[in-house]
Amino acid sequence: MTYCVGLQLDRGLVFLSDTRTNAGVDNISTYRKMHTWEVPGERTLVLMTAGNLATTQAVVSLLDERNLAAAERTSTLLTAPSMFQAARLIGETLRDVITEQAGSGGKPASTFNATMIFGGQVKGSPPRLYLIYPEGNFIEAQADTPFFQIGETKYGRPILVRAYDREMTFERAVKLLMVSFDSTIRANLSVDAPLDLQIYRNDSFELGYSRRILDTDPDWRAICDGWSDALRNAFDSLQDVTLCR
């Protein structure tokens, strides 16, 4: 399992993903789940993955391979005319990989499922954020649905729903995501640091601030400890329930 979140703000996009991959309690590994591509001044793309590791690695490898031979391809991530077409390419690749693996392995296609968050900007259009499903179809973030989660989503969702604001600064958005990830990590052993952070500022057409957040990171520790203290203080401030005798 994993946990990844993509936020769409008025000023840009924020992505955060964990790196834990497990195939049982005695087989835990660390793999990067955030992948980026850019053509400075023309496009910046970010992809986060959750699900079957073999599937996600195959999809990313195929996308990279096509980029290396862009002149021989009708469409690649580096030549797609729009974010919509780039998302369509990723969706088709994901569907094809799942179908191929299921056919050769004799197992249900669901065994090889994966979901992805894809965001960025291609010159000539505004930034976009998509959630891509195993079937290859996808949806786009809108005003009513301004963020996407994949993986272990339920523990970190409440704070996003309560505190998200499109006008918030990048610094505040990262703090919000850290709280969301802290809640998830404390509740589920299949999600853990290090975390990978990527920020994209609208119309910059270049990868912005990025950071690997270790468990010992001072900002991470301050947010986690401060959130725990704040929750305990908020709980203590509530009046006790009167029980009938």
Side-chain angles (χ1 to χ4, degrees), residues 38-44 121-123 200 203-206:
E38 69 174 337
V39 178
E42 199 274 328
R43 70 183 59 208
T44 299
Q121 186 175 16
V122 173
K123 195 169 185 178
Y200 174 73
D203 301 323
S204 65
F205 299 105
E206 63 180 10

Side-chain angles (χ1 to χ4, degrees), residues 96-134:
D96 291 346
V97 167
I98 292 174
T99 300
E100 180 180 356
Q101 291 183 342
S104 62
K107 296 181 179 180
S110 59
T111 303
F112 304 97
N113 275 357
T115 53
M116 301 181 173
I117 294 174
F118 175 58
Q121 186 175 16
V122 173
K123 195 169 185 178
S125 61
R128 305 286 191 188
L129 184 67
Y130 297 97
L131 175 61
I132 303 176
Y133 296 106

Side-chain angles (χ1 to χ4, degrees), residues 37 58-70 73 76:
W37 300 268
V59 170
V60 173
S61 294
L62 283 170
L63 295 172
D64 282 336
E65 185 179 79
R66 291 166 182 166
N67 288 336
L68 293 175
R73 307 283 181 172
T76 73

Side-chain angles (χ1 to χ4, degrees), residues 7 9-15 38 41 43-46 119-122 125-128 167-171 198-210:
L7 289 179
L9 306 175
D10 286 343
R11 65 193 66 224
L13 303 170
V14 184
F15 306 87
E38 69 174 337
R43 70 183 59 208
T44 299
L45 311 173
V46 179
Q121 186 175 16
V122 173
S125 61
R128 305 286 191 188
E167 298 180 357
M168 66 191 346
T169 64
F170 286 128
E171 291 82 2
Q198 180 66 58
I199 293 174
Y200 174 73
R201 188 179 298 275
N202 289 350
D203 301 323
S204 65
F205 299 105
E206 63 180 10
L207 291 170
Y209 181 82
S210 62

Side-chain angles (χ1 to χ4, degrees), residues 27 47 49 85 88 91 99 129 147 166 169 192 203 238 243:
N27 186 10
L47 180 69
T49 63
Q85 292 297 333
R88 185 175 179 181
T99 300
L129 184 67
F147 60 84
R166 290 190 64 93
T169 64
D192 202 2
D203 301 323
L238 298 173
L243 301 179

Side-chain angles (χ1 to χ4, degrees), residues 214-235:
L214 303 177
D215 190 56
T216 56
D217 184 288
D219 288 332
W220 170 251
R221 294 276 24 114
I223 294 297
C224 294
D225 295 342
W227 181 241
S228 293
D229 293 341
L231 284 177
R232 281 191 291 267
N233 291 335
F235 177 76

